[in-house]
Amino acid sequence: MKQEGAAEAPFLATPLQYLKGVGPRRAADFERAGLKTVEDLLYRFPIRYEDRSRLQTIASLKPGQPASISGRILACGLRSTRRPGFKIFEASIDDGSRSIRAVWLNQPFLRDILARGQHLVLYGAVELYGGGGLQLLNPQYEILDDEDAETIHTGRIVPVYEKTGAVTPKMQRRLVFDALQRLPPDLAEQLPEDLRLRLRLPTRVAALHAMHFPPADARLDALNRFATPAQQRLIFEEAFLFQMGLLARRRSAAAERKPIDIRVDDRVRESARRVLPFKLTNGQKQALKEIVDDMRSPHPMNRLLQGDVGAGKTIVALLAALVAMENGLQVAFMAPTEILAEQHFLNISRLLQASHFRVALLTGSTAASARRQQLAEIEAGTIDLVVGTHALVQGDVRFKQLGLAVIDEQHRFGVLQRATLRTKALHPDVLVMTATPIPRTLALTVYGDLDVSMIRELPAGRVPIRTVAKPESRRDEIHEFVRGQLDGGRQVYVVYPLVEESAKVDVKAATEMADTLGSDVFPQYRVGLLHGRMKADGRDRVMKAFAAGDVDILVSTTVVEVGIDVQNASVMLVEHAERFGLSQLHQLRGRVGRDRHQSYCFLVYQSPLSDEARERLKAMTETTDGFEIAERDLTLRGPGDFFGTRQAGLPTFRLVDLVRDRELLATAHREAEQWIAKSTPSGPALEKLLTSWEERFKLIQVG
Ligand code: ADP
Ligand code: MG
């Protein structure tokens, strides 16, 4: 994609250490922040922009608004206060129109930095203080040396960078300014020219200049929303290159042939019919068809099965597994927790009882001797389907003929783990199922290398769940209501939050609640307790008892979060609902409403609620649509938290913000698809694109 003849920029690859003004110490500071080269420095947005083209005069300041001023220090010093150890640094600043007081709380070191006579630019909140005068409280400051003040640090809209170790925002502004001067004017373009022109994007070099040192007519508010043409162009560039890499990688995977052709004949269809306990919904049929078509195509499948909680993804995956097994292939079925793996195992074993296929369970708590035995059988091919946790992708599991890998509740499984799985010989077909619907743009970004099948409707006859949020003080009313449900023969979940740092406390709370419910509130009903600290067989016993209806009320920490399926349960009572994330609450609620009974979700919270918690509970009572919940959750929490952890396989972007830039991401995805369809990178060119891409987005550590 590089334009022929344009200057490939060795300058961009220059280590920061070789820039004037950056020695080894500052270079080390930069490196700790992930900045190694000039390119890294230039491809980083300022945290904000400040308009210093028209600095306000001190005489014109009004309280209640942030302001930028520039002036000299008339006097300054450290002052003690009545509170022992609490010091205030005070300076009187004059700009010729007036003087104003600036105060910094508890920053005594300023004594060694600021001095009388210095020329400062200050940015901060203007407020009224005691005597009715104005002051600047904890303003950001920069000391100007008179020679470059005019060109770089004032008299224009200036970029403010995040402080990096000992490298101040001002030093960085200077460095970026110098680096931009040395940038070759014919710097190689990263975007195809016709695309760039069609989308009316500025050139790369112009965008880099304007992003750091905006032209005089740039709008401050647009800059601070990262919405100027220059900023958008750079964001788009990153998103486009990322999508190109995803698609190219997928194309190279598609070139690897699968070892066996999959047949679907009457025998296979009959076998599926025998297993199926109900009629598939149209959505399930459609998804299954897409999956099986994909399995039959000569290249490996890489598919995401999306569907709201309770949409019935499991049976679709099992039918796909059956097709693989009928064709003599093995299947790995993976879940994020042991308890879910156990549930899948029980379910699948039951459904496959009448078949000749052999199913095994392999988790972290499988005893060593049993594990050895199972590994041998998996390798020999006498076990057809293995259900397990992540342990299944660990080194010592070798399959004779792995044809399909099903990964349930995807978003705890990253891109990396999927890649590991693919290296387990055979390039098996991979089917990924998400626990929580993922907003479309995010799915494109993180799973842009996957095809997507979507189950939109729930099985017939489901009644929408009623959701109510109530403060703890009204728990008695809820209990009264719950009693009615129990009397009607339904079962109930009571869930406690699990705060990992204090698992003991949580377990205690859940244990006490179980005792109280069992002895005082519902003495005539059977209460079971489930928490993460129990051994697998203990949990298993409780879960089975609940599933069999031998336990009426299941008190639990969040181990029931995903996947658990007990149709007779009609109440989900969440304690301390304010502590749960939105997607988590949606998952929990999805445990009920799995049958024809009207189901209820009670969110019991402790007042006072934070604004965010209030938003979450509001969202829960307003909608049961998983996709909408996911959108709101993403907006509330940001993508890092949305996916639980950083290791979730999210790419590390320099400029793209997965929430802010969703529209650009979607455009980039579309454009990259078109581009890759008409240009055909292959061989070494493709290899090179992929390698630099994987390094760039830190997706390389596939082991
Ligand atoms: P999820 O998509 O959340 O993983 P499950 O696969 O656990 O949902 O299915 C939810 C429940 O709905 C299960 O009890 C399952 O047996 C049932 N189910 C799935 N498909 C159908 C269907 N077509 N008709 C009736 N019940 C179904
Ligand atoms: Mg499920």
Side-chain angles (χ1 to χ4, degrees):
M1 267 183 307
K2 307 260 157 74
Q3 318 287 271
E4 289 302 321
E8 191 26 71
F11 175 61
L12 282 183
T14 308
L16 286 172
Q17 183 169 347
Y18 301 121
L19 286 190
K20 192 164 146 259
V22 186
R25 286 238 339 250
R26 283 179 189 164
D29 279 347
F30 275 128
E31 182 147 4
R32 265 191 291 281
L35 308 180
K36 291 188 196 129
T37 63
V38 170
E39 178 175 335
D40 296 335
L41 185 70
L42 292 184
Y43 274 84
R44 186 176 61 147
F45 281 142
I47 43 175
R48 63 185 166 80
Y49 298 81
E50 227 176 277
D51 190 351
R52 295 184 186 167
S53 57
R54 291 171 300 261
L55 291 169
Q56 286 160 272
T57 61
I58 294 175
S60 71
L61 296 185
K62 304 230 165 6
Q65 273 163 8
S68 299
I69 61 158
S70 153
R72 281 192 192 277
I73 301 182
L74 295 180
C76 62
L78 199 58
R79 210 155 55 70
S80 295
T81 61
R82 255 169 278 158
R83 232 162 85 204
F86 191 78
K87 298 218 155 74
I88 292 180
F89 190 84
E90 242 184 67
S92 166
I93 315 283
D94 190 289
D95 69 351
S97 78
R98 247 193 97 150
S99 66
I100 188 169
R101 184 169 97 126
V103 297
W104 287 270
L105 309 180
N106 248 354
Q107 302 183 41
F109 54 86
L110 288 176
R111 178 177 45 192
D112 304 321
I113 298 173
L114 298 181
R116 207 177 112 176
Q118 280 171 340
H119 185 187
L120 296 186
V121 173
L122 295 158
Y123 173 83
V126 182
E127 54 166 48
L128 281 169
Y129 75 104
L134 294 181
Q135 70 176 10
L136 287 167
L137 179 63
N138 292 326
Q140 313 229 6
Y141 65 90
E142 277 180 28
I143 307 164
L144 300 182
D145 1 289
D146 291 319
E147 67 207 74
D148 60 5
E150 288 287 298
T151 47
I152 304 184
H153 305 299
T154 61
R156 67 194 316 161
I157 295 178
V158 299
V160 181
Y161 302 97
E162 190 171 2
K163 189 167 184 294
T164 308
V167 197
T168 65
K170 186 182 153 213
M171 289 177 208
Q172 293 182 58
R173 190 179 306 125
R174 168 97 248 172
L175 287 171
V176 168
F177 186 85
D178 290 348
L180 286 170
Q181 303 314 303
R182 293 176 57 191
L183 210 55
D186 59 344
L187 182 68
E189 186 47 78
Q190 298 268 72
L191 296 174
E193 191 64 3
D194 56 346
L195 170 66
R196 185 180 75 73
L197 292 173
R198 184 160 45 78
L199 297 182
R200 299 179 195 203
L201 302 172
T203 63
R204 185 184 185 200
V205 78
L208 284 171
H209 278 279
M211 180 266 269
H212 292 287
F213 290 93
D217 61 353
R219 291 193 28 206
L220 191 67
D221 64 323
L223 281 164
N224 280 321
R225 281 184 289 113
F226 301 90
T228 65
Q231 292 163 319
Q232 296 275 293
R233 132 95 219 199
L234 293 167
I235 294 168
F236 179 83
E237 173 186 317
E238 181 171 48
F240 181 78
L241 295 179
F242 179 73
Q243 292 291 337
M244 286 289 286
L246 276 185
L247 295 171
R249 181 162 81 169
R250 175 166 154 178
R251 177 173 282 221
S252 84
E256 293 150 0
R257 272 192 65 83
K258 278 189 290 201
I260 287 198
D261 291 332
I262 298 214
R263 275 162 210 284
V264 181
D265 51 21
D266 286 346
R267 186 181 52 87
V268 176
R269 272 187 279 272
E270 182 46 39
S271 152
R273 226 166 278 136
R274 269 200 309 272
V275 163
L276 196 58
F278 37 61
K279 258 179 66 138
L280 291 182
T281 64
N282 288 332
Q284 286 171 318
K285 279 188 204 152
Q286 177 62 28
L288 182 63
K289 180 176 179 320
E290 288 167 9
I291 292 164
V292 172
D293 284 351
D294 210 356
M295 288 168 67
R296 297 175 66 189
S297 82
H299 57 78
M301 171 168 77
N302 210 4
R303 185 168 284 275
L304 178 68
L305 178 58
Q306 283 226 63
D308 205 347
V309 190
K313 299 180 286 287
T314 318
I315 190 73
V316 173
L318 181 63
L319 291 171
L322 202 65
V323 171
M325 293 189 293
E326 286 288 357
N327 281 274
L329 298 170
Q330 287 169 297
V331 176
F333 205 113
M334 276 174 287
T337 62
E338 289 200 5
I339 209 155
L340 255 189
E342 287 155 22
Q343 176 183 285
H344 279 318
F345 174 71
L346 293 175
N347 249 328
I348 292 173
S349 308
R350 187 163 44 81
L351 290 169
L352 294 183
Q353 219 158 36
S355 78
H356 59 276
F357 296 118
R358 292 190 58 220
V359 185
L361 177 67
L362 195 66
T363 67
S365 52
T366 307
S369 59
R371 183 180 175 87
R372 258 195 312 280
Q373 168 72 23
Q374 290 186 346
L375 289 179
E377 288 205 52
I378 293 168
E379 190 161 5
T382 50
I383 287 177
D384 303 287
L385 191 156
V386 193
V387 184
T389 50
H390 302 195
L392 263 191
V393 287
Q394 275 151 19
D396 59 348
V397 187
R398 271 182 298 275
F399 290 86
K400 173 151 187 268
Q401 192 66 301
L402 180 62
L404 173 67
V406 177
I407 307 175
D408 191 12
E409 318 300 3
Q410 154 71 6
H411 66 234
R412 310 197 177 183
F413 254 83
V415 175
L416 294 182
Q417 279 140 319
R418 267 190 284 134
T420 312
L421 190 71
R422 253 179 262 138
T423 61
K424 285 222 162 274
L426 284 175
H427 304 291
D429 288 325
V430 176
L431 180 65
V432 168
M433 300 192 282
T434 55
T436 308
I438 297 169
R440 193 178 141 67
T441 45
L442 201 56
L444 287 182
T445 308
V446 186
Y447 308 117
D449 58 337
L450 299 181
D451 293 302
V452 179
S453 290
M454 190 90 84
I455 306 178
R456 291 190 185 278
E457 80 266 63
L458 300 180
R462 299 270 178 85
V463 189
I465 301 162
R466 295 206 187 126
T467 305
V468 186
K470 289 230 190 283
E472 282 180 318
S473 55
R474 306 192 42 190
R475 192 183 281 118
D476 287 351
E477 290 167 38
I478 298 173
H479 284 165
E480 263 328 291
F481 183 89
V482 168
R483 194 186 317 282
Q485 291 289 304
L486 289 164
D487 292 346
R490 302 283 81 76
Q491 287 163 281
V492 173
Y493 292 99
V494 179
V495 170
Y496 269 82
L498 186 75
V499 185
E500 250 149 57
E501 307 89 85
S502 62
K504 256 194 197 146
V505 179
D506 297 319
V507 168
K508 181 155 172 281
T511 311
E512 281 171 3
M513 179 52 89
D515 288 347
T516 313
L517 287 177
S519 53
D520 303 347
V521 189
F522 303 116
Q524 65 277 51
Y525 291 105
R526 295 153 299 182
V527 178
L529 176 64
L530 191 68
H531 60 72
R533 294 210 148 188
M534 292 162 68
K535 289 226 168 54
D537 57 344
R539 288 198 311 239
D540 206 30
R541 244 193 330 270
V542 176
M543 238 2 271
K544 274 189 189 142
F546 189 65
D550 296 334
V551 161
D552 306 294
I553 304 169
L554 183 65
V555 177
S556 154
T557 54
T558 39
V559 284
V560 298
E561 184 189 333
V562 280
I564 298 290
D565 185 43
V566 176
Q567 298 198 345
N568 186 49
S570 68
V571 175
M572 169 58 67
L573 196 170
V574 183
E575 291 281 347
H576 283 291
E578 76 279 359
R579 295 199 204 159
F580 289 85
L582 195 44
S583 295
Q584 229 179 353
L585 288 174
H586 182 64
Q587 271 299 317
L588 286 172
R589 177 167 62 184
R591 295 311 113 215
V592 297
R594 299 187 147 242
D595 205 348
R596 273 150 227 285
H597 313 296
Q598 173 66 56
S599 289
Y600 305 86
C601 175
F602 294 103
L603 305 173
V604 179
Y605 61 86
Q606 195 173 46
S607 305
L609 285 177
S610 70
D611 289 347
E612 211 198 296
R614 187 179 304 280
E615 279 302 309
R616 287 196 298 264
L617 298 184
K618 186 158 163 276
M620 284 295 292
T621 53
E622 282 175 359
T623 179
T624 53
D625 176 348
F627 285 91
E628 176 163 354
I629 296 261
E631 289 283 350
R632 294 208 199 180
D633 197 18
L634 182 62
T635 314
L636 280 173
R637 287 197 296 168
D641 288 333
F642 181 80
F643 279 91
T645 63
R646 286 276 146 206
Q647 331 137 17
L650 281 182
T652 47
F653 288 114
R654 298 194 280 212
L655 303 179
V656 168
D657 176 311
L658 290 175
V659 176
R660 183 192 64 204
D661 301 322
R662 282 199 259 170
E663 297 207 349
L664 269 183
L665 281 162
T667 312
H669 178 77
R670 227 173 24 245
E671 294 291 346
E673 262 183 342
Q674 284 177 20
W675 180 256
I676 217 146
K678 65 181 185 198
S679 72
T680 334
S682 62
L686 180 63
E687 284 304 305
K688 183 155 171 274
L689 174 64
L690 283 180
T691 312
S692 68
W693 177 83
E694 289 180 341
E695 270 168 19
R696 165 65 193 78
F697 292 100
K698 313 263 186 295
L699 294 168
I700 195 97
Q701 324 88 308
V702 175

